[in-house]
Amino acid sequence: MSEPDVLKTLQDAGLDVLTCMQCGTCSGSCPSGRYTSLNTRRIVRKARKNSDMLHDDDLWMCATCYNCQERCPRGIKIVDAILMIRTIAVHEGIMLPAHRKISELVLKHGHAVPINDATKEKRKNLGLEELPETVHKYPEALADVKTLLESCGFDKLVVEKQE
Ligand code: SF4
Ligand code: SF4
């Protein structure tokens, strides 16, 4: 299978990264980069060169705070580009194991973080109902959630391309 042309997809979507002058304002503004290996400027440089970004784990370290995008002197839609690259990656079956696990939980339970006994107890202590107004309380709605997820192909993205 041929590799997707990420740069062309970005350009076609109006996400022009070619004007990046590698000033580093984005990296310097990035709170995630202080705690992870994420180097936003490097991601943009890779996008400009159309070199392999899809297997770069840093792609998933962005917290989408938009600091970089708001400050980029060239007005580059950095986060929108990162999100699009992530989308392309997922369609290629590339997903971090933790994200795949979370996605599987959504498919199975309709929740990324299904409730457990400890959380039920906390809710009761706070004067809340034990179960929230979700599929936890209305399990019959889970079938609708699954239909929605299947209708947009989410189940195939998560399950079919499992390695
Ligand atoms: S702030 Fe903008 S111009 Fe500067 S390196 Fe980042 S993407 Fe490029
Ligand atoms: S949006 Fe992402 S890349 Fe940009 S500053 Fe925030 S965490 Fe860093």
Side-chain angles (χ1 to χ4, degrees):
M1 199 165 66
S2 63
E3 288 287 307
D5 188 335
V6 176
L7 178 60
K8 183 174 185 314
T9 306
L10 292 175
Q11 297 291 105
D12 289 350
L15 301 170
D16 185 11
V17 292
L18 294 175
T19 57
C20 172
M21 58 181 173
Q22 289 289 290
C23 67
T25 304
C26 48
S27 307
S29 308
C30 180
S32 176
R34 284 176 218 144
Y35 301 98
T36 71
S37 57
L38 173 59
N39 180 327
T40 318
R41 182 183 59 81
R42 193 177 59 82
I43 293 275
V44 179
R45 188 178 68 210
K46 279 179 130 182
R48 276 179 59 189
K49 291 167 67 182
N50 210 12
S51 62
D52 182 23
M53 292 146 273
L54 304 183
H55 293 90
D56 190 331
D57 284 356
D58 287 355
L59 195 56
W60 307 97
M61 301 300 156
C62 168
T64 63
C65 70
Y66 280 82
N67 262 0
C68 55
Q69 188 159 316
E70 287 184 355
R71 294 177 182 174
C72 173
R74 287 285 163 89
I76 295 171
K77 293 179 180 167
I78 303 166
V79 193
D80 300 345
I82 289 174
L83 292 176
M84 177 151 282
I85 300 167
R86 284 180 177 176
T87 301
I88 297 167
V90 169
H91 278 89
E92 290 295 306
I94 303 161
M95 200 185 280
L96 289 185
H99 293 165
R100 195 180 296 283
K101 183 76 192 161
I102 292 286
S103 302
E104 285 169 355
L105 288 173
V106 173
L107 282 170
K108 189 172 177 189
H109 301 287
H111 273 275
V113 184
I115 201 161
N116 57 23
D117 288 343
T119 304
K120 285 182 193 169
E121 197 57 37
K122 278 183 198 159
R123 288 180 60 86
K124 277 197 292 186
N125 292 340
L126 288 167
L128 299 168
E129 282 188 51
E130 187 177 80
L131 293 173
E133 298 280 320
T134 68
V135 291
H136 283 321
K137 187 170 175 184
Y138 307 103
E140 66 279 10
L142 185 56
D144 293 338
V145 172
K146 289 185 177 182
T147 299
L148 281 170
L149 293 170
E150 285 166 16
S151 68
C152 65
F154 185 75
D155 57 331
K156 291 189 176 60
L157 286 178
V158 174
V159 179
E160 247 183 20
K161 302 197 177 182
Q162 228 169 350
E163 286 159 25

